[in-house]
Amino acid sequence: MSKEQGIRAEVIEQLPSNLYRVQLEDGKTVMAYLAGKMKYNRVRLILGDKVEVVLDKYGGKTTNRIVWRF
């Protein structure tokens, strides 16, 4: 399996149910959730964190995943 390419983003808002609003490098704002390994290892995100987001290939609004915190 090939590794999915992520896009750098910044956390701008924390929402209920482990959702985050992130701003992508190109200025668009999307919602994302923590990927499985980040939840398993209890990684915490705060406002202003730089993260890597894997976008949904079908263009969904809330199915983007946060896979890495820089």
Side-chain angles (χ1 to χ4, degrees):
M1 292 193 346
S2 65
K3 184 175 185 268
E4 298 168 330
Q5 292 295 327
I7 298 174
R8 284 188 175 229
E10 181 180 348
V11 177
I12 58 172
E13 186 179 357
Q14 184 175 8
L15 302 169
S17 300
N18 232 1
L19 285 174
Y20 296 90
R21 185 162 288 138
V22 296
Q23 185 171 15
L24 305 177
E25 289 178 328
D26 61 359
K28 286 199 295 187
T29 303
V30 296
M31 289 174 40
Y33 65 92
L34 291 178
K37 287 206 174 198
M38 291 188 70
K39 281 195 286 190
Y40 178 77
N41 292 312
R42 295 189 175 119
V43 174
R44 304 283 185 202
L45 295 179
I46 58 173
L47 300 181
D49 276 349
K50 305 290 185 199
V51 294
E52 183 176 344
V53 177
V54 174
L55 299 176
D56 179 29
K57 59 185 171 185
Y58 300 113
K61 290 280 187 186
T62 60
T63 54
N64 305 307
R65 292 182 296 142
I66 300 173
V67 294
W68 191 261
R69 180 178 59 129
F70 294 106

